[in-house]
Amino acid sequence: MTSQKSFERNVRARMSRTGESYTAARAHLISDPADGAASGTGAATIRDRVSDPKVTDATGRDYDAWFALLDAWGATSRTHTEIAAWLVEEQGVPDWWAQTVTVAYEQERGLRVPGQKKDGFASSASKTVNVPVERLFDAFADPDLRARWLPVEATERTAKPGRRFTADLPEGTRIAVTFQAKGDAKSSAGVEHTRVATAERAAEWKADWRTWLADLKKVLEA
């Protein structure tokens, strides 16, 4: 149901952007899902993740009211930074909520698709493994152990044992991995893969990470 609602919003956003009829915009998105928010990344929109009631409670307006106000201000011709700053400085919206409304607006108006960040697209994946968090961290930070499950080159950037690991990957992309202990012998790793060139490639990386993290679990629990 949520997916259908997202698709309908994407159709309306394309209609607003291109002047097409509903039928034409819908047909285009079906035939070319890379256009607009039907990007293939599997990423949910901000509006899917943060509900209207939560936005209203935090900011005093729901999404549609904010979108109408932003349209009247001419936000479609502004940068992300300008929109967020206007919400904070002129409308008194708390910083985190200003970012939320800004991204939701950009997605709704077809200026940004789910999974897209200022430096490209992103995808994420996570896995819980039955080993201590220190061992899970080593699986990323130790090159020899990493080579047993990760089939691509990773060049370490930063490492905070048991907490965070970042590295450069092929295609100019980057990963940030966060770790969480869930007991003495259980922990989880969350991978965010950023700076990806296209939504389609982000979807491919996401599928790869699901496979690789499953392989990591097998290696560590063997």
Side-chain angles (χ1 to χ4, degrees):
M1 184 66 175
T2 298
S3 177
Q4 180 61 28
K5 288 182 178 178
S6 297
F7 180 76
E8 294 297 324
R9 286 200 295 271
N10 296 335
V11 173
R12 292 196 299 273
R14 181 174 174 83
M15 290 169 64
S16 175
R17 191 171 74 250
T18 66
E20 293 174 336
S21 68
Y22 178 91
T23 301
R26 185 176 185 278
H28 184 96
L29 289 178
I30 290 173
S31 64
D32 184 12
D35 183 87
S39 63
T41 64
T45 67
I46 286 291
R47 199 166 185 173
D48 290 332
R49 301 202 308 268
V50 184
S51 68
D52 267 282
K54 288 182 179 178
V55 171
T56 302
D57 288 345
T59 70
R61 290 184 173 91
D62 64 13
Y63 284 114
D64 290 335
W66 280 119
F67 296 167
L69 195 63
L70 286 166
D71 284 340
W73 178 63
T76 54
S77 63
R78 309 278 184 158
T79 67
H80 174 92
T81 300
E82 289 173 333
I83 298 171
W86 184 78
L87 289 169
V88 172
E89 297 167 7
E90 301 297 329
Q91 301 299 320
V93 179
D95 185 67
W96 188 89
W97 287 101
Q99 293 292 331
T100 299
V101 171
T102 299
V103 172
Y105 178 79
E106 291 173 325
Q107 291 175 346
E108 187 82 3
R109 295 297 181 260
L111 306 175
R112 175 196 295 248
V113 301
Q116 184 179 8
K117 298 179 180 292
K118 65 181 181 180
D119 55 0
F121 290 84
S123 58
S124 60
S126 63
K127 180 64 70 174
T128 297
V129 186
N130 293 316
V131 296
V133 69
E134 295 81 8
R135 178 65 172 167
L136 183 56
F137 174 83
D138 287 343
F140 285 85
D142 184 313
D144 292 335
L145 182 54
R146 187 171 66 232
R148 294 176 58 189
W149 62 272
L150 185 64
V152 296
E153 185 68 25
T155 303
E156 179 183 312
R157 293 179 59 85
T158 63
K160 294 183 179 180
R163 295 176 56 194
R164 183 176 173 86
F165 174 85
T166 66
D168 291 326
L169 264 67
E171 302 173 20
T173 64
R174 184 175 296 176
I175 59 168
V177 189
T178 55
F179 303 88
Q180 181 179 0
K182 296 194 170 186
D184 292 337
K186 182 183 253 187
S187 55
S188 66
V191 179
E192 183 179 28
H193 196 147
T194 60
R195 303 192 175 193
V196 182
T198 67
E200 291 77 12
R201 190 69 184 104
E204 292 170 355
W205 279 114
K206 186 178 184 72
D208 286 339
W209 277 109
R210 286 173 176 166
T211 298
W212 297 338
L213 291 177
D215 291 341
L216 165 64
K217 183 178 177 70
K218 291 177 183 177
V219 167
L220 294 185
E221 293 183 355

